[in-house]
């Protein structure tokens, strides 16, 4: 009934509330918004954008119905799925992959050098925190949730991590872009690029999560969002310069101050902007979380990821389907 | 305001013959203050003020005069016994108790304001009361800009402005020089006459008591009890220097002196 | 209602107790009655609040993962209080809070006294004190790290910067409203400089100082819970960390259980201030 | 120093002004002198603070990207104040703050009056008020979103829950310390119930109410800056968002510039409260 | 405490012959209050109190008596003129000005404490002073548990406890009944004698002034000026009822009455 999603059978909603972060890893959403892809695909349905600073707040908003869909890291989405008993959240597509690294002080050469050192992660139980713990475990180094063990993990805000690293208060951190790049620019070196740990060097960094009941009631609208997402991914591949400009503009708009162009340019290649949520990495990540003791129960993620709409759309456009 | 008071007032209105109705009645009133020092301040006080009567209360420092007025005003509750007041009893406190955030005029106008009198009207009337206490020129001053005696006079004006039928006055002229006091004695007497007020008047000045009162009641100390009542049969207008006033106050002073000697000051 | 309320005016608060005293009741009976009189409205309020909460939950207004009922929350709380980590966190957070508050009280009192004594200092930094107070804790984090690294001191710094202005303001406000008559009396009987402060100004300002301390505690506690996010130190669990974790994991039941624990601590601390305040008022005869 | 300070005792604060008044100086001359007297210590304090800051920077204690000097910060601030977005953010944040504070003031005053009037209510929710105050803003975010979604109301809710208890506590504290004599006088001249509050209790408690409002403002402003992170609405820039973003961007210069702007607003608002307070004290003769 | 006071006191110590040294000196003292109502409270006051002299000050309500004592005590600054005091002048305020957070005993002990007197010693001495004002039994009470007159007496005890060589007393017996007042007249007189104090004593009771003073100074109102000084040549011990006291106070009262009549109260 509306715009690009003419095949949808549901009634169009008056408006859809979409969340994203003014952040490099959310470039797909930013570009789709700025370049008008969402608006074009949504037709008469109005798009209302809300920006967030962190996953938990975005998930609270999604669960409470304040927003209908949001770009977010797979960690918070998984958490929200688990603690609502699988009722509230469904991941319908990906937005970015890669772009997380363990950056450490130059003096550290190997994993064993980390023994007794303090390493930061963005927050307890988020994607990078689990990757860090799991990787250390694989290296035979123990950790615990209270920051004890062979390596002291101190979760803290990324911006604070950067300050702490500059002051040599921590030996390193497992962080997403652009912080990894900025830590490198502040004199660090990449010890582990997370891509090297995953099959095909692909793992979910940002996904599009939708409120499950919204998805059920308005598949057409979700489909339109997906279409916008696809358009944006194509655009980013075609015109990275303009895309970077869009991201810089949005960050400047929201924060009153642009992010340095050099940071964006340097961090950009670390990320892959793809609609594939790399479902296997989400499931593995949850399993890893359980293995390192962040999740108390074995995760059951039966209906967390639903790629039917996405794959239908890809097929329509003659592109290969993604695996679920 | 307390249960006892309200009942008594109601009883008055219920139609008991006016001739037997008292303006103020105390029956077997006892007051013991709470706290570590649980003082028995008043013990078995029986006292009536007839409508239109001017009763003066004298007694040594700390004998319970202020306590008695507080009980009558309903601001404190009796420990036992009964207090009755016919209508509202306005109390002029021993300390001036003015509102520091209001000018002298506004202080005096407050009781009128509480009655709902309009701004213009109440200011005009408050000015009149200030004139009565010879403070017409000081209407705009705040309490802290007034002398001790001036504050006391503003408080008097405020009490008069309540237009209550019963006045309870606690050493209202304690901070005034003899002359100003004489002037205010005349003013108070004429207002009492005009409005046929009932007055219960505490003073430490026995001459003043005789000058103003229809009756002088002598209280003893610790606990406060009524020692004796002196009817004042001197015809008005009286002057404080009158020899009749001197004679009677000499007699009362003598009795008071004995009281004080018996209990210590 | 109107009548009843009139009788409860602050000025009359003690009338009833007085009446009781006058009857010379046995002390212990009286005490238990007093305790009951203070306790039942609190209990009633708690019961009412829980009832309302349960009613909202039963109405099905929000799914239980968003708004869990009192039962699961108290079950969770009941579970938490049996864990060692919970008590360790409570004791770490409380210790930090009390130490921070004690230091803030000392600094705040001294600062308040100094600023209130000197007109120049007051003009210079009086407004700055309130200005600092309006700065959100989050803005201080980078400075705290810069100065104190990731240590207990960094948390302490955030507490102090939150609580000190409040306490100092309480002192300044109290000193400003000391009745001039008492000041004059004090000076005339030989007090001056410090002894005037010691013997007149501070005792006279005490009620306002106590209320400044109470506000200071609120700021200290809030800043502490925020500060604990700043620095999570190895093997030092804390309520602030738990609270953020519960939020980050989206575990509403756990979060509400923690909020109730925090509220209970806040109320317990308030009770201390309230009893100090009541004692002050009774001593000064500000209850009749 | 000691002597000078003694002469600056609160009780003597106005002695000098009085002396000036007595000389019958021309009004305008006098006023400009007063302004200067109030301003120079502030200016001196600012100059000193900037000097100390510059000295620390010059000492090379920390690299300039961690601790930039005053010059780049003020250059940045100077740049910001020329941008429309900065002023838009200031005006949006200020509007939210003022609206929130106004509503908090009304609710806090009413709540304070109601609680202070009734012994039952006081026992029931008196402590709860302080308890709420010690709850960090962050704990309220989920509830705010739950109740109000992502709207201005959610921010308002966070402001209110921060500021209302403070204001109510100011009222309660003030009411508790109204001199009993004034209460008795008020009742005796015919005030009772509401009119007693209107004509006696509230005017007498006004100084404490004003200081409660001042504390309430501090809480409101802090909660606001925290609450603005909660919801950033498209095309509504705000200081709270700027502040966090500056932190996330790691742009220390920008962040300090923002902190200075926030501090300036805090000081400006404090000046309003201070002048109300001075007026109150002068009217009541609490300066001699 | 003010510059003027210190200078004068220092001058005394500098060795000027003791016979010409005054306990209190006022030279051309003028006081104008600030504020909208910039009142001229005192105008050109010249007054000396000799060492060991008892000077009483009388005048109408609001004439500037309290203002004068405040200036002498150094708590307020003169607008022009000079004030000199030889040593510390203890002021007993018109209001009782007790510290509400201290018991009666502790209030009285405070001046001793400020002098560094040890706890036991100062409490014993404070108790003595309380006995002087007949309040030995009320040592543990707080001010709000005392009657108006009792508070005034505690304030008197506190003033005495300063052991200052100069006493400035502002209607110290205003709230006392005649008997207690008589007792305290005797006590005050004997302390004055023993310690050879210099006293400047404000009262609105002319008889009291004549009973106690070596000299009575009459002030006029608005502005306060010295109208006349009356030396009191009645031999001590005097009693307030003595006819010589009556005669002189009659004369002063007459003059005061004329003053009040001229200016209004
Ligand atoms: N709030 C109180 N608590 C305890 N005792 C009190 C209280 N108020 C008064 N008293 C005591 O009650 C007695 C009577 O006091 P009251 O004020 O009635 O005396 P009074 O006759 O007015 O004295 P004065 O002439 O000095 O004003 C005194 O012994 C006093 O100490
Ligand atoms: N702080 C002040 N500001 C302005 N005017 C004042 C102030 N204090 C006193 N006055 C005025 O100065 C004059 C003298 O006051 P003062 O208190 O000295 O009188 P007094 O002789 O002690 O009177 P009383 O016998 O009533 O105590 C009065 O007219 C009074 O209104
Ligand atoms: Mg009395
Ligand atoms: Mg006077």
């Amino acid at each position: 009934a509306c715009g690009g999603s003419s095949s949808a059978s549901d009634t169009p909603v008056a408006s859809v509330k979409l969340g994203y972060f003014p952040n490099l890893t959310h470039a797909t959403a930013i570009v789709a918004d700025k370049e008008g892809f969402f608006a074009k695909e949504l037709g008469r349905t109005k798009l209302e954008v809300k920006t967030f600073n962190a996953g938990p707040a975005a998930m609270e908003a999604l669960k409470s119905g304040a927003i209908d869909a949001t770009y977010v890291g797979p960690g918070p989405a998984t958490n929200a799925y688990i603690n609502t008993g699988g009722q509230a959240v469904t991941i319908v597509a990906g937005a970015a992959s890669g772009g997380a690294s363990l950056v450490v002080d130059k003096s550290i050469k190997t994993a064993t050098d980390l023994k007794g050192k303090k390493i930061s992660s963005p927050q307890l139980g988020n994607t990078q925190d689990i990757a860090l713990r799991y990787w250390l475990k694989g290296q035979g180094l123990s950790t615990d949730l209270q920051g004890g063990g062979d390596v002291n993990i101190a979760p803290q805000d990324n911006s604070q991590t950067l300050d702490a690293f500059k002051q040599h208060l921590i030996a390193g951190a497992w962080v997403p872009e652009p912080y990894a790049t900025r830590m490198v620019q502040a004199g660090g070196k990449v010890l582990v690029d997370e891509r090297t740990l995953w099959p095909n060097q692909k793992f979910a960094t940002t996904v599009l999560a939708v409120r499950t009941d919204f998805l059920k009631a308005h598949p057409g609208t979700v489909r339109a969002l997906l279409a916008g997402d696809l358009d944006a991914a194509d655009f980013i591949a075609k015109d990275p310069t303009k895309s970077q400009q869009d991201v810089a503009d949005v960050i400047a708009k929201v924060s009153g101050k642009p992010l340095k162009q050099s940071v964006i340019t340097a961090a950009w290649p670390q990320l892959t902007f793809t609609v594939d949520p790399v479902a296997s990495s989400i499931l593995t990540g949850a399993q890893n979380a359980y293995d390192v003791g962040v999740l108390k129960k074995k995760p059951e993620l039966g209906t967390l990821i639903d790629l039917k709409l996405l794959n239908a759309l890809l097929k329509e456009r003659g592109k290969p389907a993604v695996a679920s | 305001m307390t249960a006892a008071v309200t009942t008594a007032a109601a009883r008055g209105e219920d139609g008991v013959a006016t001739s037997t109705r008292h303006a103020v009645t105390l029956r077997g009133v006892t007051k013991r203050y709470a706290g570590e020092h649980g003082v028995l301040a008043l013990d078995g006080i029986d006292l009536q003020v007839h409508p239109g009567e001017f009763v003066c209360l004298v007694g040594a420092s700390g004998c319970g005069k202020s306590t008695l007025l507080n009980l009558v005003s309903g601001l404190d509750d009796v420990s036992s016994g009964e207090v009755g007041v016919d209508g509202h009893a306005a109390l002029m406190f021993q300390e001036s108790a003015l509102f520091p955030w209001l000018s002298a005029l506004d202080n005096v106008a407050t009781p009128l304001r509480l009655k709902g009198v309009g701004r213009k009207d109440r200011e005009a009337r408050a000015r009149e009361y200030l004139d009565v206490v010879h403070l017409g020129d000081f209407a705009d001053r705040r309490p802290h800009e007034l002398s001790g005696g001036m504050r006391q006079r503003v408080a008097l004006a405020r009490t008069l402005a309540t237009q209550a039928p019963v006045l309870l006055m606690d050493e209202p002229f304690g901070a005034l020089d003899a002359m100003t006091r004489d002037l205010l004695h005349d003013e108070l007497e004429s207002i009492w006459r005009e409005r046929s007020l009932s007055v219960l008047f505490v003073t430490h000045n026995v001459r003043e008591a005789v000058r103003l009162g229809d009756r002088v009641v002598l209280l003893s100390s610790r606990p406060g009890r009524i020692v004796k009542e002196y009817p004042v049969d001197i015809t008005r207008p009286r002057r404080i220097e009158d020899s009749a006033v001197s004679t009677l106050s000499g007699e009362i002073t003598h009795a008071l002196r004995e009281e004080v000697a018996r209990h210590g000051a | 209602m109107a009548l009843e309320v009139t009788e409860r005016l602050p000025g009359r608060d003690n009338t009833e107790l007085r009446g009781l005293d006058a009857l010379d009741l046995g002390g212990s009976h009286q005490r238990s009655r007093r305790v009951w009189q203070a306790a039942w409205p609190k209990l009633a309020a708690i019961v009412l609040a829980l009832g309302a909460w349960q009613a909202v939950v039963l109405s099905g207004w929000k799914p239980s993962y968003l708004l869990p009922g009192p039962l699961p929350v108290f079950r969770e709380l009941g579970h938490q209080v049996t864990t060692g980590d919970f008590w360790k966190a409570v004791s770490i957070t409380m210790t930090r809070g009390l130490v921070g508050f004690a230091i803030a009280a000392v600094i705040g009192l001294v600062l308040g006294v100094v600023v209130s004594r000197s007109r120049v200092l007051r003009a210079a930094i009086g407004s700055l004190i309130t200005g600092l107070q309006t700065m959100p804790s989050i803005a201080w984090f980078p400075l705290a790290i810069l100065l104190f690294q990731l240590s207990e001191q960094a948390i302490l710094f955030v507490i102090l910067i939150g609580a000190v202005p409040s306490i100092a303001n309480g002192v300044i406000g109290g000193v400003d409203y000391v009745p001039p008559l008492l000041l004059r009396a004090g000076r005339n009987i030989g007090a001056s400089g410090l002894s005037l402060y010691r013997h007149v100004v501070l005792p006279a300002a005490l009620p306002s100082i106590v209320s400044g301390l109470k506000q200071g505690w609120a700021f200290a506690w809030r800043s502490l819970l925020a500060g604990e996010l700043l620095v999570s130190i190895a093997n030092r669990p804390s309520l602030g960390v738990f609270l953020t974790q519960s939020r980050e994991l989206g575990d509403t039941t756990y979060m509400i259980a923690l909020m109730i624990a925090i509220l209970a601590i806040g109320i317990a601390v308030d009770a201390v201030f309230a009893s100090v305040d009541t004692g002050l008022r009774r001593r000064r005869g500000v209850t009749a």
Side-chain angles (χ1 to χ4, degrees), chain A residues 9-268:
Chain A
S9 57
D10 60 303
T11 49
V13 275
S15 72
V16 56
K17 294 179 239 86
L18 175 72
Y20 63 76
F21 304 2
N23 209 328
L24 211 53
T25 51
H26 289 240
T28 313
I30 293 171
V31 168
D33 185 22
K34 285 273 295 182
E35 297 294 333
F37 296 132
F38 284 140
K40 187 187 84 196
E41 302 288 351
L42 282 167
R44 281 193 287 119
T45 301
K46 212 172 127 249
L47 177 72
E48 285 177 35
V49 167
K50 314 266 181 183
T51 56
F52 296 87
N53 285 294
M59 284 300 105
E60 274 156 11
L62 189 76
K63 286 191 286 183
S64 68
I67 53 174
D68 304 313
T70 186
Y71 287 82
V72 71
T78 308
N79 277 334
Y81 178 85
I82 292 171
N83 61 39
T84 59
Q87 293 176 54
V89 186
T90 307
I91 293 173
V92 295
S97 156
S101 307
L102 173 58
V103 183
V104 294
D105 197 271
K106 286 230 170 67
S107 63
I108 288 163
K109 309 271 183 259
T110 63
T112 40
D113 292 346
L114 289 173
K115 210 163 179 172
K117 293 282 193 310
K118 190 180 258 177
I119 301 290
S120 282
S121 70
Q123 57 191 231
L124 180 73
N126 96 324
T127 319
Q128 289 82 31
D129 183 69
I130 286 157
L132 171 62
R133 287 169 198 278
Y134 193 74
W135 178 77
L136 286 172
K137 196 176 171 208
Q139 302 294 317
L141 294 167
S142 69
T143 61
D144 69 31
L145 298 192
Q146 318 300 347
D150 293 334
V151 177
N152 303 333
I153 296 183
Q156 58 179 337
D157 247 44
N158 292 330
S159 57
Q160 217 163 273
T161 295
L162 192 60
D163 282 349
F165 184 70
K166 285 177 182 169
Q167 295 176 61
H168 306 287
L169 303 177
I170 53 175
W174 197 296
V175 282
E177 292 299 345
Y179 292 96
T181 298
R182 291 173 65 190
M183 281 176 73
V184 170
Q185 287 178 346
K189 69 160 197 199
V190 176
L191 187 65
V192 181
D193 182 336
E194 193 173 341
R195 282 181 294 196
T196 61
L197 305 179
W198 296 93
N200 305 323
Q201 302 216 337
K202 278 168 73 182
F203 65 97
T205 299
T206 309
V207 298
L208 176 57
V210 184
R211 199 149 40 79
T212 305
D213 50 10
F214 186 84
L215 175 62
K216 284 190 182 128
H218 309 289
T221 308
V222 175
R223 196 189 134 93
L225 288 176
L226 288 171
D229 191 64
L230 265 170
D231 297 345
D234 292 345
F235 181 86
I236 289 170
K238 234 177 35 229
D239 192 349
T241 319
K242 180 69 169 66
S243 302
Q244 288 176 25
Q245 191 56 49
D246 286 344
V247 173
D249 285 353
V250 165
I251 292 176
K253 181 93 194 155
V254 172
S255 67
K257 194 83 205 286
L259 181 60
K260 277 202 206 76
Q261 193 62 46
S262 63
V263 174
I264 299 181
T265 323
W268 198 261

Side-chain angles (χ1 to χ4, degrees), chain B residues 2 14 16 23 34 48 50 59-60 62-63 67 85 101 103 121 158 170 183-184 188 204-205 216 225 254 265:
Chain B
T2 62
D14 272 6
V16 176
Q48 281 80 38
H50 304 286
C63 74
T67 303
V85 180
W101 56 89
S103 68
D121 198 11
R158 188 176 66 178
D170 202 348
L183 292 172
L184 291 185
L188 178 60
H204 50 260
N205 185 328
V216 177
R225 289 201 184 107
H254 185 74

Side-chain angles (χ1 to χ4, degrees), chain A residues 56-57 60 63-64 79 83-84 87-88 118 123-124 144 146-148 152 154-156 160 163-164 167 169-170, chain C residues 62 65-66 85 141-142 145-146 149-150 229-237 242 245 247-252:
Chain A
E60 274 156 11
K63 286 191 286 183
S64 68
N79 277 334
N83 61 39
T84 59
Q87 293 176 54
K118 190 180 258 177
Q123 57 191 231
L124 180 73
D144 69 31
Q146 318 300 347
N152 303 333
Q156 58 179 337
Q160 217 163 273
D163 282 349
Q167 295 176 61
L169 303 177
I170 53 175
Chain C
K62 294 281 170 180
Y65 57 79
L66 281 178
D85 265 4
F141 290 176
I145 294 185
L146 191 62
Q149 280 81 48
L150 294 173
L229 312 182
L230 167 68
V231 189
S232 43
I233 294 166
N235 288 316
R236 313 257 305 147
F242 284 4
Q245 281 178 10
R247 204 182 149 221
E248 295 191 338
L249 298 175
D251 188 341
T252 322

Side-chain angles (χ1 to χ4, degrees), chain B residues 1 4 8 11 16 45 57 68 73 97-98 100 110 141 143 153 164 204 217 236 255 257:
Chain B
M1 233 164 259
R11 206 187 303 131
V16 176
I45 300 284
L57 219 55
L68 196 150
S73 71
L98 297 177
T110 303
R141 303 277 189 100
R153 285 183 276 158
H204 50 260
V217 176
R236 299 179 194 259
R257 199 176 292 259

